[in-house]
Amino acid sequence: MSKLNVFIDGSWLFRACAPERALASHTEWADKAFPLDFNRLDAALIKHAAATVPDCGAIGERYLATSIFTLPENFDEGPTEFPGVSADDVARTRGGVALRERFVKGAVDAGYSTRAIYRPKMKGWILERLRTNRYQEKQVDATIVALLVRSAITHPHDVHVVITGDADVLPAVKVAYPEYSRNVLVATTHPDELRAENRQTSFSLSNFEFDSPPFYFQDHGAELAAGAHVYTCAHCHKVFARPKSIPGKARPCCFTCNAKRT
Ligand SMILES: [Zn+2]
């Protein structure tokens, strides 16, 4: 039996799960972050991989690469390193760090390695760039490529899935591991949505020849969301969860569609 090894660009996936973005907008709760269940993600990926590589049936190495800022203890007091730091900056930065911690905890609790999680110290210049949306995490894509290529060379009979929407990852994989077509699989959001989010780059899956078709997150919303009973609305196809199961005969119907129909 071959294994499925998973390499997540955690910074990208975190953003893809944010309110109103690719995943959340396909749910009943578009204004809330998509509640990704990493165990369910692994199961859905194995199922998808097995369609092309039938003996792929177990999980192998799993990494989520991202960075989470470590805030100094005196961050709230506006230390000299952070000139002009406002109460707003402090609250927003703390909130952002807490959200990312919670997201990463979901992956780690499901068994993902913590080795690709960076914890850089927050600096004045970083805060300034975050404020003006000019901060770029470069280390993450390089880490994903390095881990995936090492895994693919060491375990040529396994399947290796890269979860990303970043334009730079695939050409790098192609150069370092030219055999990628056979056993590398991409999981991303629909290309059209990807273009909308990333207009300045021209990430195009069609430039690569993968044996396995891409895994598109939006096609698997109900399989990936946390919740006791998760459904896809029979009318609008949005994902929703309920504490109790819907009786067998009834077609799943979300709150919005239900309100329209009564
Ligand atoms: Zn609906």
Side-chain angles (χ1 to χ4, degrees):
M1 187 192 285
S2 70
K3 288 181 177 171
L4 180 81
N5 304 286
V6 188
F7 304 89
I8 304 180
D9 174 344
S11 302
W12 174 80
L13 188 55
F14 175 72
R15 286 193 301 273
C17 290
E20 312 292 345
R21 300 299 286 270
L23 275 162
S25 62
H26 288 255
T27 68
E28 192 180 64
W29 56 83
D31 58 339
K32 296 195 180 76
F34 184 84
L36 182 67
D37 180 317
F38 285 87
N39 286 307
R40 291 179 183 175
L41 173 62
D42 292 346
L45 289 169
I46 288 183
K47 198 172 146 206
H48 184 87
T52 308
V53 183
D55 84 326
C56 180
I59 208 81
E61 299 183 277
R62 283 171 297 160
Y63 290 93
L64 178 135
T66 194
S67 58
I68 304 177
F69 290 113
T70 302
L71 303 179
E73 278 179 27
N74 56 351
F75 187 61
D76 298 19
E77 299 152 22
T80 48
E81 204 188 341
F82 301 94
V85 66
S86 68
D88 250 20
D89 292 331
V90 169
R92 196 172 49 239
T93 309
R94 282 211 183 283
V97 167
L99 285 174
R100 211 174 265 227
E101 288 282 11
R102 198 194 305 161
F103 179 75
V104 164
K105 186 176 184 299
V108 172
D109 288 350
Y112 278 76
S113 169
T114 54
R115 283 178 47 212
I117 298 163
Y118 303 107
R119 294 189 174 271
K121 286 203 172 89
M122 177 59 82
K123 305 275 185 198
W125 67 267
I126 297 176
L127 191 65
E128 191 51 46
R129 289 198 181 174
L130 285 171
R131 219 186 247 151
T132 50
N133 248 328
R134 288 181 299 121
Y135 181 73
Q136 289 204 321
E137 286 175 85
K138 270 300 170 197
Q139 217 170 3
V140 168
D141 16 324
T143 302
I144 282 301
V145 173
L147 289 169
L148 179 131
V149 169
R150 184 186 67 176
S151 173
I153 290 170
T154 324
H155 308 288
H157 303 294
D158 281 0
V159 179
H160 311 274
V161 55
V162 55
I163 299 183
T164 189
D166 189 306
D168 302 331
V169 167
L170 295 186
V173 169
K174 192 175 175 176
V175 168
Y177 185 68
E179 303 82 0
Y180 74 94
S181 295
R182 194 177 47 82
N183 63 348
V184 175
L185 162 66
V186 178
T188 188
T189 42
H190 277 158
D192 46 341
E193 299 194 26
L194 202 77
R195 262 200 303 278
E197 285 173 16
N198 244 343
R199 274 212 183 92
Q200 65 274 53
T201 62
S202 55
F203 176 78
S204 177
L205 278 173
S206 58
N207 297 344
F208 301 88
E209 291 159 25
F210 294 99
D211 288 358
S212 291
F215 175 97
Y216 290 124
F217 276 87
Q218 293 94 327
D219 298 344
H220 298 273
E223 286 171 73
L224 305 179
H229 302 279
V230 185
Y231 300 95
T232 303
C233 176
H235 310 285
C236 70
H237 307 295
K238 289 199 170 167
V239 173
F240 65 94
R242 294 290 176 269
K244 289 184 182 166
S245 72
I246 294 174
K249 278 183 202 155
R251 299 179 78 203
C253 182
C254 75
F255 283 138
T256 314
C257 293
N258 195 42
K260 276 185 206 156
R261 295 163 67 84
T262 50

